[in-house]
Amino acid sequence: MEAKVEVSDHQAVLRADGLSKSFGGLKAVQDVSFSVHAGEILAVIGPNGAGKTTLLNLLSGVYRPSTGRLHLLGRDMTRATMEERCHAGLGRAFQIVRPFGEMTVHENVTVGALFGKPGMRLPQARELAQSLLESTGLAAHADRPAHELTLLQDKRLEVARALATQPRLLLLDEVMAGLRPAEAQEAVALIRSVRRSGVSVLFIEHIMPVVRDLADRVVVMDQGQVMAEGTYREVTTNPLVVAAYLGTEPELGSGQPQSEQTGQVRA
């Protein structure tokens, strides 16, 4: 297993301070504060409706916060657009993959490269796309239309497109969803390789063995708030987390939350 990273606050790539988002009377995210550090993989978990995807939307610029501040690489990005955040070093891969189906795999990644950094020229974008296809295991499919890919290949393409924007921090929203166990392990290996390339990662996930294997730290959300933060062992033995989400104290190293096994809750 890859060694976890020890980090300190002065290395923060992203810092959220008191982020809140309300939709009418619904407080979807309430006073959320945390940091993501250089070289770190941070997991965000919690039950359905906990506010995890809303949080990612606040970080990536889909929503603007009702209150709070967001800093990326030391810059205040609270009011920045999605495009400005992307250009500043924030990438995102979505749970539901929507590639340009009639374009080739290589062309899909090239588009990401052209969008990610102002002044990127087409020859440079094509070269970067080819390099990313090789590192994500898609080089053999470069000339195939994207609609012909399998689900796992689609997930790899989504990550490659996000990496083509040359992020310093990559946001991943349940990229393991729908994958078989062997495919999920391939995705785990891919995310580890992303970290080795110098990109920090924040990911939402409900498969606890994946969280255990990948995360340096875990943030647990419930009802729009941060309930706990710490290592996998620390949060999965926290009585508040056990009561609100896990349902029973899990064996470290195996299994999913009891509520997930019964189909009642997803992180």
Side-chain angles (χ1 to χ4, degrees):
M1 181 181 298
E2 186 174 273
K4 301 300 177 64
V5 172
E6 294 185 4
V7 291
S8 57
D9 286 340
H10 74 277
Q11 295 175 296
V13 174
L14 178 141
R15 190 177 78 248
D17 295 311
L19 287 184
S20 298
K21 181 64 179 178
S22 297
F23 299 96
L26 173 64
K27 296 180 179 179
V29 170
Q30 302 180 59
D31 195 28
V32 168
S33 298
F34 67 92
S35 295
V36 184
H37 307 286
E40 182 178 33
I41 299 179
L42 178 74
V44 178
I45 68 172
N48 272 345
K52 304 181 301 301
T53 296
T54 300
L55 176 63
L56 249 62
N57 286 335
L58 289 172
L59 300 181
S60 61
V62 176
Y63 302 143
R64 288 190 176 181
S66 303
T67 59
R69 312 296 298 180
L70 178 71
H71 288 82
L72 179 66
L73 298 170
R75 295 174 54 191
D76 189 335
M77 304 296 288
T78 308
R79 300 297 169 187
T81 65
M82 294 177 66
E83 183 177 7
E84 289 168 339
R85 294 179 198 210
C86 178
H87 291 167
L90 187 67
R92 181 174 180 180
F94 291 83
Q95 176 184 356
I96 300 174
V97 182
R98 293 190 176 94
F100 300 107
E102 298 305 318
M103 295 174 64
T104 68
V105 171
H106 187 276
E107 288 169 342
N108 267 269
V109 183
T110 299
V111 169
L114 289 170
F115 177 81
K117 288 290 181 287
M120 173 71 75
R121 297 183 179 276
L122 185 57
Q124 295 173 297
R126 287 173 171 164
E127 183 177 351
L128 176 59
Q130 184 60 38
S131 174
L132 287 168
L133 291 180
E134 292 169 2
S135 65
T136 55
L138 289 173
H141 308 284
D143 297 325
R144 291 179 61 187
H147 69 80
E148 294 182 358
L149 297 183
T150 66
L151 178 59
L152 177 59
Q153 291 164 349
D154 268 340
K155 301 279 187 177
R156 289 179 176 272
L157 176 57
E158 181 72 359
V159 172
R161 290 199 303 174
L163 290 175
T165 67
Q166 302 180 68
R168 293 284 300 278
L169 172 64
L170 179 62
L171 308 180
L172 303 175
D173 190 355
E174 294 198 46
V175 295
M176 308 294 175
L179 297 182
R180 295 187 294 271
E183 293 173 330
Q185 286 306 307
E186 289 187 45
V188 165
L190 175 60
I191 295 170
R192 286 176 177 158
S193 73
V194 169
R195 188 245 290 277
R196 287 194 297 271
S197 74
V199 179
S200 302
V201 178
L202 183 156
F203 72 102
I204 291 175
E205 190 50 68
H206 70 276
I207 303 173
M208 296 305 287
V210 168
V211 175
R212 175 205 66 209
D213 290 347
L214 275 177
D216 300 306
R217 284 189 301 127
V218 181
V219 171
V220 186
M221 293 186 66
D222 188 33
Q223 298 182 14
Q225 299 176 303
V226 173
M227 172 188 295
E229 180 179 340
T231 65
Y232 177 83
R233 181 177 293 274
E234 287 168 345
V235 300
T236 55
T237 56
N238 183 312
L240 293 176
V241 177
V242 171
Y245 174 49
L246 298 176
T248 184
E249 188 170 314
E251 293 182 11
L252 298 183
S254 64
Q256 296 181 4
Q258 181 180 19
S259 50
E260 175 66 17
Q261 294 168 359
T262 60
Q264 296 172 0
V265 171
R266 293 182 65 192

